[in-house]
Structures are given as C-alpha cells and as structure tokens.
Amino acid sequence: MDFRPLSELERRQLVTALRGNADGNRVLLVDRKDTSFAGTAEDVPDEEVIHAIKSVPCHY
Amino acid sequence: MGLLDTETGKRRLLAVEIPVIEKYNDGRDPDYRIRLNRVGGALVLAYALKPGHNVYQIETRLLSSYPTVPPETRVLTPLKHCPHLLEGQTLCLWRQGSTRQTSRWDPTKFTCVFAIQAVWRWLACYEVWHETGDWPLPEAK
C-alpha cells in the first residue's frame, strides 16, 4: 500500500480527538458512507451510536 | 456457547449480531459494508475502514466461543510493525483468551460492531504512529 499520510493539521486534530475519546469526554464521529474521521462531539443520540465511537475500553 | 451450533448462540446471532450488522451497513458505500462468511465453526466479518486517507481491508472472526471470548481481528492490508500488533497482523485489542472477569470485553454489552469501532480507533492510532513514531494513546492498565 502506498501510505498517504495525514497533514500536520489533520494529525493534530485526530490526536486531540483520540485522547479526548480515551479520557471519556469526546465521541469520535465516523462518516457513515466511507468510515472516514468526521470530527468529534460531546455526545450523540442513541440511534446514531453506530456511526460514532463512544468509550472503547481496549488494551491499547 | 457455540455461536453457530447451539440454540443460545444462534439466538445471539439472530437477535443481536445480525441486526447491528444490518444497521451498520445501512446507507454505507458498498466497499465499506460488512460481508459475512462462515469458515468452519467461526463467522468471519470482512470489511474495510478508512480512518485517514488509507483504506484497510480487515477480517474479524467471531469464534465459536464468542461472545464469551472477544473477537479476533487481523488487518489484511500490509502494515509496518508497530505497537499492539501481534503475529499475522492480528490486533492487540483485548487480552487474548481473557474472559469477562479479567478483561474489559463485556459480552453482555458489546457486539461485533463495537469490536469494529475498536479497530477503527486502533487504525487511527496507527496512522499517527506511522508518521510520528509515537502511539497516541497510553496502554490500558
């Protein structure tokens, strides 16, 4: 795969979003068509939860 | 429990897993939908994720011991060796072989789509690590 990197701004936004999500105060929004990163929110309604990543307790 | 060969397993599949997969696929571009295949006693979910600009082909296996044991996920797209990546490009998402008592995987709350969301977040971390050499999230305790 020819890896196409994020721009510095995109990377900063993604890192902030990931850390906010890990801390439990931000929901990661995922584009419903192609799963690309679509920003963050404080919360989402229950019916939208499948297109958003709330708390994901994982080892990593 | 035997996901595919016991009544309890089949009930879980029909009442929980299939409905969330259908909901996940609803309105999604065909290339990114979950496709289901039976391989032996396991159910294999094939799908693609694109957290940044790169598309990753993924396989998540629901073994016969699922959901007691968490799903196993491997990335088919070649990756650079990185933290939290096991042999065969299997992702270290939950401690392998662990049960509800010893891990954070909770079969009473989580579904296969929850596992896919965990994979998305792992890949987002990978995209950052690829450029910086730093995994952006601390390891869970």
Side-chain angles (χ1 to χ4, degrees):
Chain A
M1 176 176 77
D2 291 329
F3 187 87
R4 187 180 157 207
L6 300 165
S7 70
E8 192 176 332
L9 176 61
E10 288 170 330
R11 190 166 64 240
R12 270 207 310 268
Q13 289 172 334
L14 187 57
V15 168
T16 301
L18 287 166
R19 290 180 179 158
N21 180 253
D23 291 342
N25 57 18
R26 300 300 291 177
V27 175
L28 298 169
L29 303 178
V30 176
D31 184 278
R32 65 175 61 219
K33 289 192 177 300
D34 70 358
T35 78
S36 56
F37 176 54
T40 64
E42 283 189 12
D43 205 356
V44 291
D46 284 347
E47 61 269 23
E48 287 298 312
V49 76
I50 209 144
H51 303 295
I53 300 171
K54 289 189 163 185
S55 171
V56 184
C58 287
H59 171 59
Y60 66 86
Chain B
M1 147 164 108
L3 189 65
L4 297 172
D5 56 14
T6 66
E7 285 308 310
T8 310
K10 289 175 189 170
R11 212 166 28 244
R12 163 85 184 206
L13 198 57
L14 291 173
V16 177
E17 306 295 343
I18 298 294
V20 295
I21 289 171
E22 286 175 345
K23 193 169 180 191
Y24 179 92
N25 283 344
D26 186 34
R28 203 169 293 279
D29 285 348
D31 288 349
Y32 294 91
R33 289 180 193 154
I34 299 168
R35 302 175 307 280
L36 283 173
N37 298 298
R38 182 177 180 163
V39 179
L43 195 63
V44 179
L45 283 60
Y47 55 96
L49 294 174
K50 190 181 79 166
H53 301 300
N54 305 289
V55 179
Y56 301 88
Q57 300 297 328
I58 321 281
E59 256 187 21
T60 291
R61 283 177 182 260
L62 311 184
L63 303 175
S64 62
S65 48
Y66 176 88
T68 306
V69 171
E72 288 182 5
T73 295
R74 69 187 186 105
V75 181
L76 305 180
T77 304
L79 301 174
K80 286 169 75 172
H81 188 67
C82 66
H84 308 292
L85 186 64
L86 307 173
E87 195 177 342
Q89 295 206 150
T90 299
L91 305 187
C92 184
L93 299 177
W94 295 279
R95 293 181 195 280
Q96 298 299 305
S98 58
T99 64
R100 186 179 176 188
Q101 284 73 33
T102 57
S103 83
R104 294 177 177 200
W105 170 263
D106 186 344
T108 65
K109 292 182 184 168
F110 303 157
T111 69
C112 60
V113 167
F114 183 90
I116 291 171
Q117 294 178 331
V119 176
W120 188 97
R121 206 179 72 166
W122 190 101
L123 289 169
C125 291
Y126 174 80
E127 293 250 333
V128 173
W129 172 87
H130 194 283
E131 292 309 298
T132 65
D134 291 323
W135 196 261
L137 296 180
E139 187 170 311
K141 297 287 184 270

